[in-house]
Amino acid sequence: MTYDFDELLERRGTDSVKWDGVRDVWGRDDLLPLWVADMDFRTPPFVMEALKRQLSGGVLGYTRPCADWAPAICDWLLHRHGWQVETGWISFVPGIVRAQALALLCFTRPGDRVAVMNPVYHPFFLVTQRLEREVVFSPLVLRDGHYHIDYARLEQDLDGCRVLILCNPHNPGGRVWTEDELRRVADICHRRGVMVLSDEIHADLTLPGYRHHPFATVSPRAAAISLTFMAPSKAFNMPGLASSYAIAVDPSIRRRFQTFLEAGEFGEGHMLAYVGCAAAYREGEEWLGQLLDYIQGNIDFTEQFLKERIPAIGMIRPQASYLIFLDCRRLGLPQPELVNLFVDKAHLALNDGTMFGRGGEGFMRLNVGCPRSVLRRALEQLEEAVSHL
Ligand SMILES: Cc1ncc(COP(=O)(O)O)c(C=O)c1O
């Protein structure tokens, strides 16, 4: 079956954060939204069918995980990422940011130091700060068009930290960390007694030519110090379903986290989450293959468009996912003027690079998870705005 990713969907009026939330954030409705990380594609039909089947029971009663939920996750992880996971290692979590917050509450105390590698997905440090833990920023290095880890700096920065929140693959840089890179991070964290929360929400969006390595698989040390968060939400465009899960290989980390979840019943999923997740993983391979080809096409299109028509703006080419960090530094604009160029002149709603922490200055994050005709329109609006500078 061939899926149609060119279809234009009307998402306004559906309480979509990406579309209807534009007014909440920018106070206006005339911006084309290419910000929040969901895609303007239909959630796959086999997921929608599974939800409809579940609803057809006619009662929204308390619902246990469907029998295939954990096995479907295990089979998917083995087949897709070569990770042999036992069903008992998996816990439902009600969203990945929420799971990070729960893990911080479970494994750290107020005042503890938690490291992140910036620029990075902003809730990593915002949630940590709101929970009154101290954030240690250990900056990534942008070299040869990609982010790299400064191991010497990381080793120093981790001194006295209890936790590192790792973005694997990385958002907003789109890096798929190699096995060797992750192993070095694991060695440093192990030496320093630092636990790793590995956020792997973008794993299934690893693009052709790259391979995702679950952090816990790169070495026995990595498995011993980590708690991993995953979900079908990004890849299958179902983040509104809150159908995420955590995996702990290490028995003591697992016991502690599962006990914490049980105490507050945080690990009780809802009736649609389990069947939605199982359907995505059981039936999603072909759809996902076509999606990744389409996203790759959108990334190629963006790269070519910028090169030919807006050469002053470059991009970090993502190795995973549909988020592109646009490098606008050559425009030489202070950040407020850069934001103004995108919003007031180009009528586009993107994420301001500085929201991802230091290192984001001069960047804007573009979401290309949309039909190509929409992407073309957005880039043409940007071209027009830049031509008037
Ligand atoms: C790295 C990363 N983690 C977590 C999330 C959000 O996950 P959730 O909606 O499950 O909290 C996102 C969304 O963009 C993300 O990019």
mmCIF file with all atom_site columns, all heavy atoms in Angstrom, residues 306-327:
data_model
loop_
_atom_site.group_PDB
_atom_site.id
_atom_site.type_symbol
_atom_site.label_atom_id
_atom_site.label_alt_id
_atom_site.label_comp_id
_atom_site.label_asym_id
_atom_site.label_entity_id
_atom_site.label_seq_id
_atom_site.pdbx_PDB_ins_code
_atom_site.Cartn_x
_atom_site.Cartn_y
_atom_site.Cartn_z
_atom_site.occupancy
_atom_site.B_iso_or_equiv
_atom_site.pdbx_formal_charge
_atom_site.auth_seq_id
_atom_site.auth_comp_id
_atom_site.auth_asym_id
_atom_site.auth_atom_id
_atom_site.pdbx_PDB_model_num
ATOM 1   N N   . LEU A 1 306 ? 17.783 26.003 0.078  1.00 0.00 ? 306 LEU A N   1
ATOM 2   C CA  . LEU A 1 306 ? 18.626 26.980 0.774  1.00 0.00 ? 306 LEU A CA  1
ATOM 3   C C   . LEU A 1 306 ? 19.877 27.272 -0.056 1.00 0.00 ? 306 LEU A C   1
ATOM 4   O O   . LEU A 1 306 ? 20.269 28.431 -0.219 1.00 0.00 ? 306 LEU A O   1
ATOM 5   C CB  . LEU A 1 306 ? 19.028 26.448 2.155  1.00 0.00 ? 306 LEU A CB  1
ATOM 6   C CG  . LEU A 1 306 ? 17.892 26.289 3.193  1.00 0.00 ? 306 LEU A CG  1
ATOM 7   C CD1 . LEU A 1 306 ? 18.431 25.693 4.486  1.00 0.00 ? 306 LEU A CD1 1
ATOM 8   C CD2 . LEU A 1 306 ? 17.212 27.627 3.490  1.00 0.00 ? 306 LEU A CD2 1
ATOM 9   N N   . LYS A 1 307 ? 20.464 26.220 -0.578 1.00 0.00 ? 307 LYS A N   1
ATOM 10  C CA  . LYS A 1 307 ? 21.705 26.387 -1.345 1.00 0.00 ? 307 LYS A CA  1
ATOM 11  C C   . LYS A 1 307 ? 21.476 27.299 -2.545 1.00 0.00 ? 307 LYS A C   1
ATOM 12  O O   . LYS A 1 307 ? 22.235 28.209 -2.816 1.00 0.00 ? 307 LYS A O   1
ATOM 13  C CB  . LYS A 1 307 ? 22.172 25.000 -1.806 1.00 0.00 ? 307 LYS A CB  1
ATOM 14  C CG  . LYS A 1 307 ? 23.687 24.912 -1.975 1.00 0.00 ? 307 LYS A CG  1
ATOM 15  C CD  . LYS A 1 307 ? 24.133 23.522 -2.358 1.00 0.00 ? 307 LYS A CD  1
ATOM 16  C CE  . LYS A 1 307 ? 24.256 22.613 -1.140 1.00 0.00 ? 307 LYS A CE  1
ATOM 17  N NZ  . LYS A 1 307 ? 24.533 21.218 -1.488 1.00 0.00 ? 307 LYS A NZ  1
ATOM 18  N N   . GLU A 1 308 ? 20.382 27.044 -3.245 1.00 0.00 ? 308 GLU A N   1
ATOM 19  C CA  . GLU A 1 308 ? 20.144 27.778 -4.497 1.00 0.00 ? 308 GLU A CA  1
ATOM 20  C C   . GLU A 1 308 ? 19.507 29.148 -4.277 1.00 0.00 ? 308 GLU A C   1
ATOM 21  O O   . GLU A 1 308 ? 19.791 30.085 -5.004 1.00 0.00 ? 308 GLU A O   1
ATOM 22  C CB  . GLU A 1 308 ? 19.223 26.952 -5.407 1.00 0.00 ? 308 GLU A CB  1
ATOM 23  C CG  . GLU A 1 308 ? 19.934 25.749 -5.990 1.00 0.00 ? 308 GLU A CG  1
ATOM 24  C CD  . GLU A 1 308 ? 18.975 24.821 -6.723 1.00 0.00 ? 308 GLU A CD  1
ATOM 25  O OE1 . GLU A 1 308 ? 17.775 25.155 -6.857 1.00 0.00 ? 308 GLU A OE1 1
ATOM 26  O OE2 . GLU A 1 308 ? 19.444 23.741 -7.140 1.00 0.00 ? 308 GLU A OE2 1
ATOM 27  N N   . ARG A 1 309 ? 18.644 29.240 -3.275 1.00 0.00 ? 309 ARG A N   1
ATOM 28  C CA  . ARG A 1 309 ? 17.823 30.463 -3.200 1.00 0.00 ? 309 ARG A CA  1
ATOM 29  C C   . ARG A 1 309 ? 17.990 31.286 -1.931 1.00 0.00 ? 309 ARG A C   1
ATOM 30  O O   . ARG A 1 309 ? 17.643 32.469 -1.920 1.00 0.00 ? 309 ARG A O   1
ATOM 31  C CB  . ARG A 1 309 ? 16.346 30.095 -3.424 1.00 0.00 ? 309 ARG A CB  1
ATOM 32  C CG  . ARG A 1 309 ? 16.180 29.566 -4.858 1.00 0.00 ? 309 ARG A CG  1
ATOM 33  C CD  . ARG A 1 309 ? 14.869 28.903 -5.128 1.00 0.00 ? 309 ARG A CD  1
ATOM 34  N NE  . ARG A 1 309 ? 13.699 29.749 -4.956 1.00 0.00 ? 309 ARG A NE  1
ATOM 35  C CZ  . ARG A 1 309 ? 12.460 29.395 -5.316 1.00 0.00 ? 309 ARG A CZ  1
ATOM 36  N NH1 . ARG A 1 309 ? 12.254 28.212 -5.894 1.00 0.00 ? 309 ARG A NH1 1
ATOM 37  N NH2 . ARG A 1 309 ? 11.440 30.195 -5.117 1.00 0.00 ? 309 ARG A NH2 1
ATOM 38  N N   . ILE A 1 310 ? 18.517 30.686 -0.863 1.00 0.00 ? 310 ILE A N   1
ATOM 39  C CA  . ILE A 1 310 ? 18.766 31.476 0.358  1.00 0.00 ? 310 ILE A CA  1
ATOM 40  C C   . ILE A 1 310 ? 20.154 31.083 0.889  1.00 0.00 ? 310 ILE A C   1
ATOM 41  O O   . ILE A 1 310 ? 20.281 30.563 2.015  1.00 0.00 ? 310 ILE A O   1
ATOM 42  C CB  . ILE A 1 310 ? 17.701 31.238 1.465  1.00 0.00 ? 310 ILE A CB  1
ATOM 43  C CG1 . ILE A 1 310 ? 16.300 30.995 0.884  1.00 0.00 ? 310 ILE A CG1 1
ATOM 44  C CG2 . ILE A 1 310 ? 17.683 32.415 2.449  1.00 0.00 ? 310 ILE A CG2 1
ATOM 45  C CD1 . ILE A 1 310 ? 15.218 30.728 1.937  1.00 0.00 ? 310 ILE A CD1 1
ATOM 46  N N   . PRO A 1 311 ? 21.194 31.332 0.103  1.00 0.00 ? 311 PRO A N   1
ATOM 47  C CA  . PRO A 1 311 ? 22.521 30.805 0.488  1.00 0.00 ? 311 PRO A CA  1
ATOM 48  C C   . PRO A 1 311 ? 23.053 31.362 1.811  1.00 0.00 ? 311 PRO A C   1
ATOM 49  O O   . PRO A 1 311 ? 23.962 30.763 2.386  1.00 0.00 ? 311 PRO A O   1
ATOM 50  C CB  . PRO A 1 311 ? 23.424 31.195 -0.688 1.00 0.00 ? 311 PRO A CB  1
ATOM 51  C CG  . PRO A 1 311 ? 22.679 32.245 -1.433 1.00 0.00 ? 311 PRO A CG  1
ATOM 52  C CD  . PRO A 1 311 ? 21.228 32.050 -1.172 1.00 0.00 ? 311 PRO A CD  1
ATOM 53  N N   . ALA A 1 312 ? 22.477 32.456 2.297  1.00 0.00 ? 312 ALA A N   1
ATOM 54  C CA  . ALA A 1 312 ? 22.957 32.998 3.578  1.00 0.00 ? 312 ALA A CA  1
ATOM 55  C C   . ALA A 1 312 ? 22.489 32.146 4.758  1.00 0.00 ? 312 ALA A C   1
ATOM 56  O O   . ALA A 1 312 ? 22.972 32.321 5.875  1.00 0.00 ? 312 ALA A O   1
ATOM 57  C CB  . ALA A 1 312 ? 22.474 34.437 3.744  1.00 0.00 ? 312 ALA A CB  1
ATOM 58  N N   . ILE A 1 313 ? 21.531 31.262 4.527  1.00 0.00 ? 313 ILE A N   1
ATOM 59  C CA  . ILE A 1 313 ? 21.066 30.375 5.609  1.00 0.00 ? 313 ILE A CA  1
ATOM 60  C C   . ILE A 1 313 ? 21.536 28.949 5.310  1.00 0.00 ? 313 ILE A C   1
ATOM 61  O O   . ILE A 1 313 ? 21.291 28.415 4.228  1.00 0.00 ? 313 ILE A O   1
ATOM 62  C CB  . ILE A 1 313 ? 19.528 30.431 5.751  1.00 0.00 ? 313 ILE A CB  1
ATOM 63  C CG1 . ILE A 1 313 ? 19.089 31.859 6.138  1.00 0.00 ? 313 ILE A CG1 1
ATOM 64  C CG2 . ILE A 1 313 ? 19.041 29.424 6.790  1.00 0.00 ? 313 ILE A CG2 1
ATOM 65  C CD1 . ILE A 1 313 ? 17.593 32.034 6.358  1.00 0.00 ? 313 ILE A CD1 1
ATOM 66  N N   . GLY A 1 314 ? 22.217 28.374 6.269  1.00 0.00 ? 314 GLY A N   1
ATOM 67  C CA  . GLY A 1 314 ? 22.658 26.992 6.135  1.00 0.00 ? 314 GLY A CA  1
ATOM 68  C C   . GLY A 1 314 ? 21.814 26.092 7.014  1.00 0.00 ? 314 GLY A C   1
ATOM 69  O O   . GLY A 1 314 ? 20.848 26.528 7.633  1.00 0.00 ? 314 GLY A O   1
ATOM 70  N N   . MET A 1 315 ? 22.161 24.821 7.076  1.00 0.00 ? 315 MET A N   1
ATOM 71  C CA  . MET A 1 315 ? 21.403 23.923 7.958  1.00 0.00 ? 315 MET A CA  1
ATOM 72  C C   . MET A 1 315 ? 22.281 22.789 8.448  1.00 0.00 ? 315 MET A C   1
ATOM 73  O O   . MET A 1 315 ? 23.240 22.387 7.800  1.00 0.00 ? 315 MET A O   1
ATOM 74  C CB  . MET A 1 315 ? 20.175 23.349 7.244  1.00 0.00 ? 315 MET A CB  1
ATOM 75  C CG  . MET A 1 315 ? 20.499 22.444 6.072  1.00 0.00 ? 315 MET A CG  1
ATOM 76  S SD  . MET A 1 315 ? 18.980 21.814 5.315  1.00 0.00 ? 315 MET A SD  1
ATOM 77  C CE  . MET A 1 315 ? 19.257 20.044 5.464  1.00 0.00 ? 315 MET A CE  1
ATOM 78  N N   . ILE A 1 316 ? 21.942 22.342 9.643  1.00 0.00 ? 316 ILE A N   1
ATOM 79  C CA  . ILE A 1 316 ? 22.568 21.132 10.153 1.00 0.00 ? 316 ILE A CA  1
ATOM 80  C C   . ILE A 1 316 ? 21.721 19.987 9.633  1.00 0.00 ? 316 ILE A C   1
ATOM 81  O O   . ILE A 1 316 ? 20.530 19.911 9.931  1.00 0.00 ? 316 ILE A O   1
ATOM 82  C CB  . ILE A 1 316 ? 22.593 21.137 11.694 1.00 0.00 ? 316 ILE A CB  1
ATOM 83  C CG1 . ILE A 1 316 ? 23.468 22.303 12.184 1.00 0.00 ? 316 ILE A CG1 1
ATOM 84  C CG2 . ILE A 1 316 ? 23.090 19.803 12.230 1.00 0.00 ? 316 ILE A CG2 1
ATOM 85  C CD1 . ILE A 1 316 ? 23.577 22.393 13.692 1.00 0.00 ? 316 ILE A CD1 1
ATOM 86  N N   . ARG A 1 317 ? 22.320 19.137 8.825  1.00 0.00 ? 317 ARG A N   1
ATOM 87  C CA  . ARG A 1 317 ? 21.529 18.067 8.207  1.00 0.00 ? 317 ARG A CA  1
ATOM 88  C C   . ARG A 1 317 ? 21.233 16.982 9.238  1.00 0.00 ? 317 ARG A C   1
ATOM 89  O O   . ARG A 1 317 ? 22.146 16.352 9.775  1.00 0.00 ? 317 ARG A O   1
ATOM 90  C CB  . ARG A 1 317 ? 22.297 17.490 7.025  1.00 0.00 ? 317 ARG A CB  1
ATOM 91  C CG  . ARG A 1 317 ? 21.414 16.734 6.090  1.00 0.00 ? 317 ARG A CG  1
ATOM 92  C CD  . ARG A 1 317 ? 22.115 16.074 4.941  1.00 0.00 ? 317 ARG A CD  1
ATOM 93  N NE  . ARG A 1 317 ? 21.234 15.007 4.512  1.00 0.00 ? 317 ARG A NE  1
ATOM 94  C CZ  . ARG A 1 317 ? 20.310 15.129 3.559  1.00 0.00 ? 317 ARG A CZ  1
ATOM 95  N NH1 . ARG A 1 317 ? 20.201 16.237 2.877  1.00 0.00 ? 317 ARG A NH1 1
ATOM 96  N NH2 . ARG A 1 317 ? 19.514 14.124 3.273  1.00 0.00 ? 317 ARG A NH2 1
ATOM 97  N N   . PRO A 1 318 ? 19.936 16.761 9.540  1.00 0.00 ? 318 PRO A N   1
ATOM 98  C CA  . PRO A 1 318 ? 19.627 15.758 10.566 1.00 0.00 ? 318 PRO A CA  1
ATOM 99  C C   . PRO A 1 318 ? 19.925 14.340 10.096 1.00 0.00 ? 318 PRO A C   1
ATOM 100 O O   . PRO A 1 318 ? 19.720 14.007 8.934  1.00 0.00 ? 318 PRO A O   1
ATOM 101 C CB  . PRO A 1 318 ? 18.129 15.947 10.815 1.00 0.00 ? 318 PRO A CB  1
ATOM 102 C CG  . PRO A 1 318 ? 17.604 16.698 9.657  1.00 0.00 ? 318 PRO A CG  1
ATOM 103 C CD  . PRO A 1 318 ? 18.737 17.418 9.000  1.00 0.00 ? 318 PRO A CD  1
ATOM 104 N N   . GLN A 1 319 ? 20.407 13.538 11.026 1.00 0.00 ? 319 GLN A N   1
ATOM 105 C CA  . GLN A 1 319 ? 20.622 12.112 10.765 1.00 0.00 ? 319 GLN A CA  1
ATOM 106 C C   . GLN A 1 319 ? 19.411 11.317 11.258 1.00 0.00 ? 319 GLN A C   1
ATOM 107 O O   . GLN A 1 319 ? 19.274 10.136 10.966 1.00 0.00 ? 319 GLN A O   1
ATOM 108 C CB  . GLN A 1 319 ? 21.900 11.668 11.480 1.00 0.00 ? 319 GLN A CB  1
ATOM 109 C CG  . GLN A 1 319 ? 23.125 12.447 10.977 1.00 0.00 ? 319 GLN A CG  1
ATOM 110 C CD  . GLN A 1 319 ? 24.361 12.268 11.833 1.00 0.00 ? 319 GLN A CD  1
ATOM 111 O OE1 . GLN A 1 319 ? 24.283 11.789 12.965 1.00 0.00 ? 319 GLN A OE1 1
ATOM 112 N NE2 . GLN A 1 319 ? 25.511 12.659 11.300 1.00 0.00 ? 319 GLN A NE2 1
ATOM 113 N N   . ALA A 1 320 ? 18.582 11.994 12.036 1.00 0.00 ? 320 ALA A N   1
ATOM 114 C CA  . ALA A 1 320 ? 17.317 11.408 12.498 1.00 0.00 ? 320 ALA A CA  1
ATOM 115 C C   . ALA A 1 320 ? 16.301 12.530 12.649 1.00 0.00 ? 320 ALA A C   1
ATOM 116 O O   . ALA A 1 320 ? 16.653 13.661 12.958 1.00 0.00 ? 320 ALA A O   1
ATOM 117 C CB  . ALA A 1 320 ? 17.495 10.721 13.852 1.00 0.00 ? 320 ALA A CB  1
ATOM 118 N N   . SER A 1 321 ? 15.054 12.174 12.429 1.00 0.00 ? 321 SER A N   1
ATOM 119 C CA  . SER A 1 321 ? 13.905 13.021 12.664 1.00 0.00 ? 321 SER A CA  1
ATOM 120 C C   . SER A 1 321 ? 13.717 14.125 11.619 1.00 0.00 ? 321 SER A C   1
ATOM 121 O O   . SER A 1 321 ? 14.498 14.242 10.672 1.00 0.00 ? 321 SER A O   1
ATOM 122 C CB  . SER A 1 321 ? 13.925 13.609 14.078 1.00 0.00 ? 321 SER A CB  1
ATOM 123 O OG  . SER A 1 321 ? 12.607 13.842 14.514 1.00 0.00 ? 321 SER A OG  1
ATOM 124 N N   . TYR A 1 322 ? 12.685 14.898 11.836 1.00 0.00 ? 322 TYR A N   1
ATOM 125 C CA  . TYR A 1 322 ? 12.233 15.861 10.835 1.00 0.00 ? 322 TYR A CA  1
ATOM 126 C C   . TYR A 1 322 ? 12.473 17.300 11.289 1.00 0.00 ? 322 TYR A C   1
ATOM 127 O O   . TYR A 1 322 ? 11.821 18.214 10.822 1.00 0.00 ? 322 TYR A O   1
ATOM 128 C CB  . TYR A 1 322 ? 10.740 15.629 10.528 1.00 0.00 ? 322 TYR A CB  1
ATOM 129 C CG  . TYR A 1 322 ? 9.882  15.472 11.765 1.00 0.00 ? 322 TYR A CG  1
ATOM 130 C CD1 . TYR A 1 322 ? 9.484  16.571 12.507 1.00 0.00 ? 322 TYR A CD1 1
ATOM 131 C CD2 . TYR A 1 322 ? 9.485  14.214 12.201 1.00 0.00 ? 322 TYR A CD2 1
ATOM 132 C CE1 . TYR A 1 322 ? 8.718  16.434 13.650 1.00 0.00 ? 322 TYR A CE1 1
ATOM 133 C CE2 . TYR A 1 322 ? 8.713  14.061 13.348 1.00 0.00 ? 322 TYR A CE2 1
ATOM 134 C CZ  . TYR A 1 322 ? 8.337  15.172 14.062 1.00 0.00 ? 322 TYR A CZ  1
ATOM 135 O OH  . TYR A 1 322 ? 7.581  15.038 15.195 1.00 0.00 ? 322 TYR A OH  1
ATOM 136 N N   . LEU A 1 323 ? 13.377 17.468 12.246 1.00 0.00 ? 323 LEU A N   1
ATOM 137 C CA  . LEU A 1 323 ? 13.666 18.801 12.776 1.00 0.00 ? 323 LEU A CA  1
ATOM 138 C C   . LEU A 1 323 ? 15.007 19.259 12.231 1.00 0.00 ? 323 LEU A C   1
ATOM 139 O O   . LEU A 1 323 ? 15.998 18.531 12.336 1.00 0.00 ? 323 LEU A O   1
ATOM 140 C CB  . LEU A 1 323 ? 13.693 18.748 14.302 1.00 0.00 ? 323 LEU A CB  1
ATOM 141 C CG  . LEU A 1 323 ? 12.400 18.191 14.927 1.00 0.00 ? 323 LEU A CG  1
ATOM 142 C CD1 . LEU A 1 323 ? 12.592 17.880 16.402 1.00 0.00 ? 323 LEU A CD1 1
ATOM 143 C CD2 . LEU A 1 323 ? 11.236 19.163 14.726 1.00 0.00 ? 323 LEU A CD2 1
ATOM 144 N N   . ILE A 1 324 ? 15.003 20.448 11.632 1.00 0.00 ? 324 ILE A N   1
ATOM 145 C CA  . ILE A 1 324 ? 16.248 20.951 11.035 1.00 0.00 ? 324 ILE A CA  1
ATOM 146 C C   . ILE A 1 324 ? 16.660 22.230 11.758 1.00 0.00 ? 324 ILE A C   1
ATOM 147 O O   . ILE A 1 324 ? 15.879 23.181 11.854 1.00 0.00 ? 324 ILE A O   1
ATOM 148 C CB  . ILE A 1 324 ? 16.067 21.254 9.527  1.00 0.00 ? 324 ILE A CB  1
ATOM 149 C CG1 . ILE A 1 324 ? 15.653 19.979 8.775  1.00 0.00 ? 324 ILE A CG1 1
ATOM 150 C CG2 . ILE A 1 324 ? 17.346 21.835 8.943  1.00 0.00 ? 324 ILE A CG2 1
ATOM 151 C CD1 . ILE A 1 324 ? 15.512 20.165 7.270  1.00 0.00 ? 324 ILE A CD1 1
ATOM 152 N N   . PHE A 1 325 ? 17.882 22.227 12.271 1.00 0.00 ? 325 PHE A N   1
ATOM 153 C CA  . PHE A 1 325 ? 18.397 23.438 12.925 1.00 0.00 ? 325 PHE A CA  1
ATOM 154 C C   . PHE A 1 325 ? 18.987 24.314 11.812 1.00 0.00 ? 325 PHE A C   1
ATOM 155 O O   . PHE A 1 325 ? 20.003 23.965 11.202 1.00 0.00 ? 325 PHE A O   1
ATOM 156 C CB  . PHE A 1 325 ? 19.469 23.034 13.945 1.00 0.00 ? 325 PHE A CB  1
ATOM 157 C CG  . PHE A 1 325 ? 19.385 23.813 15.240 1.00 0.00 ? 325 PHE A CG  1
ATOM 158 C CD1 . PHE A 1 325 ? 18.210 24.396 15.675 1.00 0.00 ? 325 PHE A CD1 1
ATOM 159 C CD2 . PHE A 1 325 ? 20.528 23.942 16.044 1.00 0.00 ? 325 PHE A CD2 1
ATOM 160 C CE1 . PHE A 1 325 ? 18.140 25.101 16.872 1.00 0.00 ? 325 PHE A CE1 1
ATOM 161 C CE2 . PHE A 1 325 ? 20.464 24.644 17.251 1.00 0.00 ? 325 PHE A CE2 1
ATOM 162 C CZ  . PHE A 1 325 ? 19.268 25.224 17.655 1.00 0.00 ? 325 PHE A CZ  1
ATOM 163 N N   . LEU A 1 326 ? 18.294 25.420 11.547 1.00 0.00 ? 326 LEU A N   1
ATOM 164 C CA  . LEU A 1 326 ? 18.734 26.326 10.479 1.00 0.00 ? 326 LEU A CA  1
ATOM 165 C C   . LEU A 1 326 ? 19.819 27.240 11.022 1.00 0.00 ? 326 LEU A C   1
ATOM 166 O O   . LEU A 1 326 ? 19.625 27.898 12.049 1.00 0.00 ? 326 LEU A O   1
ATOM 167 C CB  . LEU A 1 326 ? 17.559 27.175 9.987  1.00 0.00 ? 326 LEU A CB  1
ATOM 168 C CG  . LEU A 1 326 ? 16.422 26.447 9.275  1.00 0.00 ? 326 LEU A CG  1
ATOM 169 C CD1 . LEU A 1 326 ? 15.341 27.460 8.869  1.00 0.00 ? 326 LEU A CD1 1
ATOM 170 C CD2 . LEU A 1 326 ? 16.929 25.688 8.051  1.00 0.00 ? 326 LEU A CD2 1
ATOM 171 N N   . ASP A 1 327 ? 20.915 27.299 10.316 1.00 0.00 ? 327 ASP A N   1
ATOM 172 C CA  . ASP A 1 327 ? 22.049 28.117 10.738 1.00 0.00 ? 327 ASP A CA  1
ATOM 173 C C   . ASP A 1 327 ? 21.956 29.471 10.029 1.00 0.00 ? 327 ASP A C   1
ATOM 174 O O   . ASP A 1 327 ? 22.287 29.602 8.850  1.00 0.00 ? 327 ASP A O   1
ATOM 175 C CB  . ASP A 1 327 ? 23.351 27.391 10.374 1.00 0.00 ? 327 ASP A CB  1
ATOM 176 C CG  . ASP A 1 327 ? 24.573 28.140 10.873 1.00 0.00 ? 327 ASP A CG  1
ATOM 177 O OD1 . ASP A 1 327 ? 24.427 29.297 11.327 1.00 0.00 ? 327 ASP A OD1 1
ATOM 178 O OD2 . ASP A 1 327 ? 25.682 27.571 10.788 1.00 0.00 ? 327 ASP A OD2 1
#
